Amino acid sequence: MEDLLKVDEEIYALVRQEEIRQTSKIRLIASENYVSTAVLEATGSVLTNKYSEGYPGKRYYEGQQIIDQVETIAIARAKTLFGAEHANVQPYSGSPANLAVYLAFLNCGDTILGMALPHGGHLTHGSPVSISGRYFNAQSYQLDPATGLLDYEAIAEKARSCRPKIIIAGHSAYPRILDFARFREIADEVGALLMVDMAHFAGLVAGGAHPSPVPYADVVTTTTHKSLRGPRGAMILCREKYAQAIDKAVFPGVQGGPHDNTTAAIAVALKEASTQEFRQYARQIVNNAAALAENLMARGYRLITNGTENHLMLVDVTNKGISGKKAARILDAAGIVLNCNAIPFDTRKPYDPSGIRLGTAAVTTRGFKEPEMLEVGRLLDEVISDPENEATHARIAAEVRDLCSAFPAPGLEHVV
Ligand SMILES: *Cc1c(COP(=O)(O)O)cnc(C)c1O
């Protein structure tokens, strides 16, 4: 980064500091990861200089000899990896991808049915603060209060009464595998389209560690930067009969020119995700989450649904005498980075809820396995058991740095 240093010392220094932070901390934010150096290189390439409104073979500007090939490769890899009939790789991120789906199929005021935000759904699934909740009649389904699990009969009941045009399955904080066949049945019964937002678990699907929604859903959206371990971006997969509607909704419906450097990096990430190594990675993410969940439960933590089947877990820290925000803050000071999170039927406020969310995609990328996850459980518990003692937090932060130094993260091997 010599040129960055010459041009802008301030930003250079901050990038270096962020490299150190990402290297020396245990990153458990369930939506984050470490991309490969190859993905970083494609993201940072001169493809960022190109404008290419339109789609391969049908562009508004000239000079697309190379870009058309890049996007065609990315589309082909997405279709092959996920077994989809059509793929659009242009959405700038997960939220605009979801907006494009709504634009493709809905008019203002139409009804959508998604998982409630405080129960693990995403903002874009109809939250009142999002365009999805303001421009559409957003109805939501909740978790079963007793088990914390999806209650499919209740979802069906809700769908029968509100008759949504689109039913959205998918989440940012649900620790269990979704029953896509059941969602399909419900959608068919009420004549709704089924949209699955697999942003969080797309990497598990790609690696065969989670069932695929593609055979069941009319449309599947996903970010590319979470468990899929690509650049920040998104994709929409759909049946051929919806291809034109989806493509038109992305461009010119919601977006202008695609970010071609990102498209190239998505292609690289999809190639990586097609390998045997990635299948092992996906399996290890799930095994690591299971190991950490077991360890935390053995230490007296209450996990929503009593465990996990995917990459994430939701922990209610109330019985530890601490709030979610406080827990997240002191853990960050001790080098363990995660986020506070509402638990189902939380009685606390969203900014300071009762829970914390932990995910294993990033630590698994740097090579953590079950023994390291037990260490993570121990370190986390020591911090939460001694919330006011800054000396403890500093001691744990040093232990975290030691543990991390044995597991260099991709793209950060040069950081000491
Ligand atoms: C992260 C996420 C998104 C949005 O992705 P952004 O890239 O942050 O816009 C959408 N849906 C779900 C389920 C997510 O978890």
Side-chain angles (χ1 to χ4, degrees):
M1 298 198 299
E2 298 104 40
D3 290 285
L4 180 55
L5 173 58
K6 262 183 248 156
V7 171
D8 192 335
E9 223 175 296
E10 210 176 353
I11 292 297
Y12 171 87
L14 291 171
V15 174
R16 287 292 187 219
Q17 285 171 42
E18 176 65 9
E19 288 182 337
I20 292 167
R21 192 194 69 82
Q22 291 189 16
T23 302
S24 58
K25 301 214 171 180
I26 295 173
R27 297 172 59 228
L28 297 176
I29 292 179
S31 50
E32 293 185 354
N33 213 325
Y34 297 95
V35 301
S36 69
T37 310
V39 167
L40 285 175
E41 286 175 356
T43 306
S45 71
V46 295
L47 272 63
T48 194
N49 296 337
K50 187 66 192 118
Y51 240 102
S52 55
E53 288 178 345
Y55 290 98
K58 312 175 280 273
R59 304 280 191 188
Y60 289 79
Y61 305 162
E62 299 315 308
Q64 311 294 350
Q65 295 84 355
I66 317 300
I67 297 303
D68 271 6
Q69 296 181 60
V70 170
E71 188 170 337
T72 302
I73 291 171
I75 291 167
R77 287 181 184 164
K79 286 165 65 176
T80 305
L81 181 60
F82 291 105
E85 292 177 16
H86 179 73
N88 185 306
V89 297
Q90 293 193 5
Y92 300 143
S93 215
S95 302
N98 288 350
L99 186 58
V101 176
Y102 303 148
L103 182 68
F105 298 113
L106 302 174
N107 290 308
C108 276
D110 281 349
T111 302
I112 58 174
L113 174 62
M115 192 178 197
L117 181 68
H119 289 243
H122 190 258
L123 280 167
T124 56
H125 299 178
S127 160
V129 299
S130 142
I131 187 169
S132 62
R134 288 191 46 191
Y135 285 30
F136 306 108
N137 171 32
Q139 301 290 321
S140 61
Y141 55 84
Q142 304 194 335
L143 299 169
D144 182 312
T147 60
L149 296 169
L150 281 173
D151 176 349
Y152 292 93
E153 200 33 60
I155 299 170
E157 213 32 68
K158 184 90 192 181
R160 283 177 204 123
S161 66
C162 75
R163 311 297 297 187
K165 270 202 178 168
I166 298 183
I167 295 176
I168 306 146
H171 57 78
S172 306
Y174 184 64
R176 296 282 160 182
I177 283 172
L178 300 177
D179 186 346
F180 299 122
R182 189 74 181 91
F183 268 112
R184 176 77 261 167
E185 262 174 40
I186 297 169
D188 285 343
E189 186 191 328
V190 301
L193 290 171
L194 176 60
M195 163 178 169
V196 176
D197 180 351
M198 63 171 181
H200 257 264
F201 54 89
L204 303 184
V205 172
H210 188 292
S212 171
V214 172
Y216 300 97
D218 297 291
V219 184
V220 175
T221 60
T222 182
T223 54
T224 47
H225 48 272
K226 296 180 184 175
S227 58
L228 193 54
R229 212 162 67 179
R232 297 198 90 87
M235 304 192 296
I236 303 174
L237 311 172
C238 66
R239 306 221 166 133
E240 188 57 45
K241 63 176 167 179
Y242 302 124
Q244 209 185 355
I246 288 293
D247 284 354
K248 272 172 61 184
V250 173
F251 172 84
V254 173
Q255 300 187 169
H259 296 175
D260 297 315
N261 55 319
T262 299
T263 306
I266 288 174
V268 174
L270 291 170
K271 183 172 186 183
E272 292 173 346
S274 313
T275 59
Q276 195 52 42
E277 288 84 351
F278 196 88
R279 293 185 78 80
Q280 282 162 11
Y281 166 61
R283 174 51 51 198
Q284 192 65 48
I285 290 176
V286 173
N287 292 347
N288 281 351
L292 181 55
E294 280 298 321
N295 187 269
L296 291 175
M297 287 190 292
R299 294 177 186 282
Y301 287 84
R302 187 176 93 81
L303 266 65
I304 306 305
T305 78
N306 289 317
T308 173
E309 295 168 331
N310 57 23
H311 63 299
L312 70 83
M313 65 208 77
L314 205 51
V315 183
D316 175 4
V317 288
T318 308
N319 67 351
K320 298 290 175 180
I322 194 169
S323 77
K325 185 70 189 170
K326 175 87 188 277
R329 204 157 36 76
I330 58 175
L331 283 166
D332 191 30
I336 299 173
V337 192
L338 44 70
N339 60 282
C340 62
N341 212 100
I343 59 169
F345 305 97
D346 208 327
T347 52
R348 299 181 61 93
K349 297 216 162 61
Y351 185 72
D352 188 8
S354 303
I356 52 177
R357 185 186 66 162
L358 296 73
T360 54
V363 292
T364 305
T365 292
R366 70 188 301 172
F368 280 23
K369 292 208 166 62
E370 288 84 346
E372 288 74 36
M373 299 320 296
L374 305 190
E375 271 297 280
V376 171
R378 178 183 69 79
L379 295 164
L380 180 144
D381 187 41
E382 280 204 45
V383 176
I384 291 189
S385 305
D386 200 2
E388 307 301 338
N389 191 340
E390 285 174 18
T392 300
H393 307 164
R395 176 174 59 74
I396 300 296
E399 282 199 54
V400 166
R401 277 195 299 277
D402 276 352
L403 176 59
C404 287
S405 65
F407 295 88
L412 295 162
E413 293 93 343
H414 59 284
V415 183
V416 283

